[in-house]
Amino acid sequence: MTQRWTRRQTLWMLVGAAGGLALHACTPPANNQSPALGLFTWVGSTPLYIAQAKGFFQNRGLNLDIKVFSANTDANTAFISRRLDAVSPVGSEAVTLAAAGKAFRIVLVQDTSVGADGILARRSIASLSDFRGKQIAVEEGSVSHFFLLQVLDTVGLGAEDFTLINAPPDAAAAAYQAGNIPIAVTYAPYLQQANTAQPDGRIIYDSSQMPTAINDLYVFDAEYADRHPEMVEAFVAGVLEGVAFLEANPEEGVAIASPQLGIPVDELQAGLQGVRLPDLNANIEMLANAESNVYLLNTLNSLAQFLQSRNQIQQIPDLTPFIDPRFVLALRDKQSS
């Protein structure tokens, strides 16, 4: 069996851990050219592993120290305690980190979900409007929960219109697959596995229909980014070179990343179909263009409102300073000069 994909941690756990760790901050890693980056096992890291293997970081003087965290060890809490210089949270986790008082800079959008997240429903449920009064398996307070509420809002339904069955993504998919629940919210690979195994149902809605809802990010500690901007720029440039390499050489790129991620080649290929890996121009639009409908600040503010409504954060932080487009803009300027 493939190891569990641990892209998204339950936000309730992160809030509790953040409160404790913020009181016991450690000395940050004493490194310049070797920043410590905490990762989860997630397909969006594919270009990063390509960059590491092909020397795209090393060619720029960066010796990235990659630390992979399991589901039982939260990289985000290690980031708060300053045992890491960088981490790759999903957007809702980034908001929670900001609300906990962690100073960081979002320097790159790792990926955008365009089908990797979805909602499974029995065939007797004809439309989203028919979700009213139904039981829905979803992890409470997670990015999947937020996605569900966003989707239901499009048909005028809210949290009071269904019964939430609290279950993590793998368990939600399993309950649906076994016929124990009529609707489940989950993500790859559980989404596709349950959809294939349960003929009496289908993916009624997925993130390709709401492509601005879920983003994974690369963030650096604010102090590290300010002290060593050349290393952060090297990181951003290396990842983006990995994105370009994967686009031009998909089979080789997947073959490089598969053993690093511990995900079989066929599953990794399928998983990559459900995400968009933004290139330089797409990152500039998301991080620097306030007029764009994909501007990241708008998504983060919506997430913050959701988290406050669920009592997961006490106050909505000003998220504007956390978005730092200077590194992608510097790369653009270098390419155009």
Side-chain angles (χ1 to χ4, degrees), residues 329-337:
L329 293 175
L331 287 175
R332 180 195 63 185
D333 293 344
K334 285 183 178 180
Q335 291 183 3
S336 61
S337 61

Side-chain angles (χ1 to χ4, degrees), residues 40-193:
F40 306 119
T41 300
W42 176 242
V43 296
S45 303
T46 297
L48 180 140
Y49 282 112
I50 292 171
Q52 185 83 330
K54 301 296 286 188
F56 300 158
F57 296 133
Q58 296 90 328
N59 292 344
R60 296 176 169 86
L62 173 64
N63 298 305
L64 192 63
D65 180 13
I66 299 174
K67 300 182 183 297
V68 179
F69 285 71
S70 71
N72 296 323
T73 310
D74 192 349
N76 293 321
T77 58
F79 185 53
I80 290 175
S81 69
R82 308 193 75 181
R83 290 181 285 122
L84 293 172
D85 299 298
V87 74
S88 59
V90 71
S92 48
E93 292 171 348
V95 172
T96 307
L97 287 167
K102 174 63 181 176
F104 62 87
R105 301 290 179 259
I106 300 169
V107 301
L108 198 67
V109 177
Q110 182 192 77
D111 65 75
T112 298
S113 181
V114 289
D117 298 76
I119 305 172
L120 297 154
R122 291 283 182 268
R123 296 197 181 277
S124 60
I125 300 171
S127 68
L128 294 173
S129 298
D130 294 331
F131 282 25
R132 186 186 300 274
K134 300 295 192 300
Q135 290 185 328
I136 303 178
V138 63
E139 186 170 25
E140 185 173 8
S142 70
V143 68
S144 296
H145 188 188
F146 175 68
F147 176 62
L148 171 66
L149 293 179
Q150 280 186 299
V151 171
L152 291 183
D153 185 64
T154 65
V155 294
L157 299 182
E160 69 282 359
D161 294 312
F162 65 91
T163 300
L164 187 148
I165 306 299
N166 189 17
D170 54 345
Y176 171 86
Q177 182 176 324
N180 297 330
I181 204 81
I183 305 167
V185 189
T186 185
Y187 54 75
Y190 316 117
L191 178 68
Q192 293 79 10
Q193 291 170 353

Side-chain angles (χ1 to χ4, degrees), residues 239-252:
V239 172
L240 291 175
E241 190 172 356
V243 171
F245 184 91
L246 180 62
E247 177 70 21
N249 309 277
E251 290 188 5
E252 183 181 354

Side-chain angles (χ1 to χ4, degrees), residues 23-24 35 64 68 87 91 93 96 121 170 194 198 226 235 241 257 262 267 273 299:
L23 299 176
H24 303 285
L64 192 63
V68 179
V87 74
E93 292 171 348
T96 307
D170 54 345
Q198 177 51 263
D226 289 340
F235 172 84
E241 190 172 356
E267 284 193 21
Q273 296 302 309
T299 299

